[in-house]
Amino acid sequence: MTNTTTVGEERLARRMARGREFLGTDVAILGGAMSWVSERNLVAAISNAGGFGVIACGAMTPDLLDAEIAGTKERTSKPFGVNLITMHPQLFDLIEVCKRHGVGHVVLAGGLPPKGSIEAIKSTGAKLICFAPALIMAKRLMRSGVDALVVEGNEAGGHIGPVSTSVLAQEILPEVAGDIPVFVAGGIGRGEAIAGYLEMGAAGVQLGTRFVCAAESIAHANFKKAFIRASARDAVASVQIDSRLPVIPVRALKNAGAELFTKKQREVAQALDEGTVEMAEAQLQIEHYWAGALRRAVIDGDVEHGSVMAGQSVGMVKTEEPVADIIAALMAEAASALEKRQG
C-alpha cells in the first residue's frame, strides 16, 4: 500500500485481483451486453476507463460483427469481449469472426451452449464466459470447460431468469467461486453492492443499466431521459401468455410496447396452432421482435412503443456522465464501504 492509497482502496484491489487478472483490466467490471447500446463507442469507453467492455452481437450478421470489432479496436487498445447468443443461426460463423480478430474473451448467453460451440470457442484461444442461472447449471458449465461464470439475477434488464441476484449469489458463490471466477450481475447500481459481492467471493461484477446514460452511449436522448426519470418499480418483467411458447421474460420500463409484445405472442401462438411455424422458428420470431422493438427505442427514440429494456437499478441512474466518472464513483463507493469493515 502506497502513502496515497487508502485502506479501503487496498482492500478493494485485493478482492478484485482475481477478476482483474482474468479480464486483463484495472477494475473487475464487465459491461453488460445490451443490444444497440453496447456497440463500439460505449464498449471502447468502458475498456479505456479500466473496465471490460463487451460488444452485444445480438442478431448481427458475421459481416456486421466483423465491422463492429474492427471499429472497437480503432477506439481502444485495451481488452474487450464479444457477447454471442446461443440460438443465433450463424453462431459458428460468428465464432470464426472473433477468431480472426483475436478476441480474447467470448461471452455466451441465451441458454445452454449448442453442441460443439464451447470447443469451437476454446480452440480460438479465447477465454469463455457463460451465464449460470442455477447452481446445477454452474457445475455443468464448469465440467464443460467454461473459464468463468456470470450469475445474473432477475433484477437485471433485458432477458431475465426467475431468481434474484442475492439468492443466486448465496447459492452459487460458496459452491464454485473457489474453483472458477464468478461475476455477479443484476440490480447493481452502487459500489457498496459491489463490495458486498466481492466479500462473498465474487471475482467482479457485471453492470449494464448503469452505463446506458453514459456520455459515450449512442442511445437516443429520449431513451436516456426515460432512464433518468424512472424509478426501480418502473422496470417490470414481461408476461408469458402461452405456456407452449418458450418466451424468456424481459425486464423493461412500462409503456405501450408491453401491449404490443402481448399481441405478438398471440400472433406467434396462433401460427403454432395452425402449424405454419415450428417451435424453433416461433422463438426466433420473438427474438427478432425484441431486437426490432429495442432498436426503435434506443436508436429512433420511440420510448412509448419500443422496448426500453432496463434493470431495477435504473432508479440509481440520475444523470448523463462519462463512463470514467461512473466507474470512478463506483470504485470510490466500494472502497469506502470496505474501509469501514474489518480485515
Side-chain angles (χ1 to χ4, degrees), residues 51-73:
F52 189 82
V54 179
I55 294 172
C57 176
M60 286 183 191
T61 62
D63 285 345
L64 285 174
L65 178 61
D66 181 77
E68 201 58 47
I69 295 173
T72 305
K73 290 167 78 171

Side-chain angles (χ1 to χ4, degrees), residues 95-216:
I95 293 171
E96 279 300 309
V97 172
C98 293
K99 179 181 180 179
R100 288 202 303 272
H101 279 282
V103 172
H105 297 70
V106 171
V107 183
L108 205 52
L112 272 174
K115 185 177 180 180
S117 60
I118 290 179
E119 293 79 5
I121 292 168
K122 298 279 284 183
S123 72
T124 71
K127 294 176 181 178
L128 175 59
I129 306 169
C130 283
F131 286 79
L135 178 58
I136 189 171
M137 182 70 75
K139 291 183 175 180
R140 181 173 178 176
L141 289 168
M142 287 170 62
R143 290 194 297 270
S144 298
V146 168
D147 297 298
L149 298 171
V150 175
V151 173
E152 183 177 63
N154 71 354
E155 299 95 325
H159 291 300
I160 56 173
V163 183
S164 72
T165 303
S166 62
V167 171
L168 283 179
Q170 292 175 76
E171 179 184 27
I172 296 175
L173 287 174
E175 295 286 337
V176 305
D179 302 313
I180 192 171
V182 180
F183 297 85
V184 176
I188 300 173
R190 287 186 57 87
E192 292 88 349
I194 295 174
Y197 288 122
L198 291 172
E199 293 265 82
M200 291 174 66
V205 295
Q206 175 184 284
L207 303 175
T209 297
R210 195 70 176 80
F211 290 124
V212 168
C213 290
E216 298 88 346

Side-chain angles (χ1 to χ4, degrees), residues 11-12 21 36 69 85 94 112 137 145 201 203-204 207 230 246 249:
R11 290 173 179 169
L12 179 59
E21 181 180 1
W36 305 112
I69 295 173
I85 306 300
L94 296 171
L112 272 174
M137 182 70 75
L207 303 175

